[in-house]
Amino acid sequence: MITAMRPVIVAANWKMHTTPADAGELARTIARRTADADVVRIVCPPFVALAAVRDALADAAPPIAVGAQNVHHELHGAFTGEVSAPMLAGLATWVIVGHSERRRDAGETDMLVGRKIGRAVEAGLRPILCVGEQHNERDAGLAEAVVDAQVRGALGTHDAAVLEAGGLVVAYEPVWAIGTGHTARGADASDMADGIRRTVADLGWADGGAGLPILYGGSVTSANIAEFLAEPAIDGALVGGASLQPDEMAGIVARAAMTARARLDPIATG
Ligand code: PEP
């Protein structure tokens, strides 16, 4: 599999942690501790802290991107408490869509997730589509079928070329691994990434989906990230709990940078 054209990405999902008063300082610390131009770094704070994090990272070198954790599927209207894609202009350049916590707590369906992706791409936001199976589904041998259905349900109505141009990223996040301290095995995550690329290829993506970046998410730490980045099919991580700890982020991004350099120049890096 050709991986050289895909970036290595580490995205931090801060979930419902930090406030506008402390998020900027944490973002600055993480930016400084992870400064590496070979890794695409994204910090996704709560909506209310987006402006603080944007301001804190404005002068970061190398640049570090800001993402939102969700976006509404309509542009505007009577949707109390919601945030639409155009409202994120100037605050974020990425957005997480279809996180399992939103599927669980807000009842988001694949169809709704697909509409959010459409809004994100129209607004110039790069979506990170989260997919993943439950533990009982994996036990029943259904993991690949479940994720295939999620990807088809979210992406199937979109033009593949538009999603590719819009910079879509998929995060494979087995639900049983999120926030539990349990992780998938690297080889299983790799198989799932291969399956996701087969699905998008079937949906019309160029080159068998070879250009689609796929992240692993689920209890990633500096101690276990290597297992996932050793897999050529995996292009980085979506990190939850550990992303609030600068030491952890420093270790994760340092390992990601090794992979990025090895992919850019496999001969020089051995
Ligand atoms: C996540 O929020 O997407 C996630 C994977 O969380 P954690 O790393 O805490 O499991």
Side-chain angles (χ1 to χ4, degrees):
M1 173 174 304
I2 301 166
T3 56
M5 297 308 290
R6 297 199 301 264
V8 176
I9 299 170
V10 175
N13 176 14
W14 286 358
K15 309 195 187 198
M16 199 169 72
H17 297 287
T18 72
T19 68
D22 57 28
E25 187 55 35
L26 179 60
R28 240 190 313 271
T29 303
I30 288 174
R32 182 169 39 80
R33 298 283 311 279
T34 63
D36 195 307
D38 291 331
V39 178
V40 175
R41 298 163 299 151
I42 309 155
V43 175
C44 305
F47 283 129
V48 293
L50 281 169
V53 169
R54 174 205 57 195
D55 293 348
L57 298 179
D59 298 327
I64 170 166
V66 181
Q69 297 175 16
N70 181 34
V71 67
H72 198 260
H73 59 279
E74 294 288 359
L75 293 175
H76 49 74
F79 301 105
T80 303
E82 297 288 352
V83 174
S84 71
M87 292 174 185
L88 292 170
L91 289 170
T93 52
W94 291 75
V95 61
I96 297 170
V97 180
H99 193 282
S100 65
E101 289 156 8
R102 292 205 55 83
R103 292 176 189 259
R104 179 194 69 199
D105 299 337
E108 292 188 3
T109 61
D110 294 324
M111 194 187 74
L112 196 76
V113 170
R115 292 179 66 187
K116 289 169 182 256
I117 285 174
R119 293 301 185 200
V121 170
E122 281 164 18
L125 295 162
R126 287 189 69 175
I128 302 175
L129 165 64
C130 299
V131 293
E133 81 285 356
Q134 304 282 345
H135 207 284
N136 61 332
E137 293 167 334
R138 173 155 289 274
D139 285 347
L142 295 172
E144 202 168 309
V146 166
V147 167
D148 174 77
Q150 289 173 334
V151 173
R152 284 179 196 278
L155 305 185
T157 58
H158 294 290
D159 182 329
V162 170
L163 296 181
E164 282 187 72
L168 177 84
V169 170
V170 172
Y172 167 60
E173 301 206 300
V175 177
W176 48 270
I178 297 179
T180 60
H182 301 293
T183 59
R185 291 184 312 168
D188 289 337
S190 176
D191 287 347
M192 295 300 290
D194 289 346
I196 291 165
R197 290 200 177 91
R198 277 194 296 275
T199 303
V200 299
D202 199 41
L203 293 175
W205 283 58
D207 301 327
L212 173 69
I214 299 182
L215 315 182
Y216 168 76
S219 296
V220 167
T221 66
S222 59
N224 61 34
I225 182 68
E227 175 168 357
F228 302 100
L229 290 174
E231 300 291 341
I234 303 290
D235 304 310
L238 177 55
V239 187
S243 74
L244 292 157
Q245 301 174 44
D247 284 350
E248 280 296 308
M249 282 298 284
I252 290 166
V253 173
R255 181 59 187 76
M258 283 173 56
T259 294
R261 285 191 268 281
R263 290 183 181 185
L264 284 169
D265 192 353
I267 296 170
T269 51

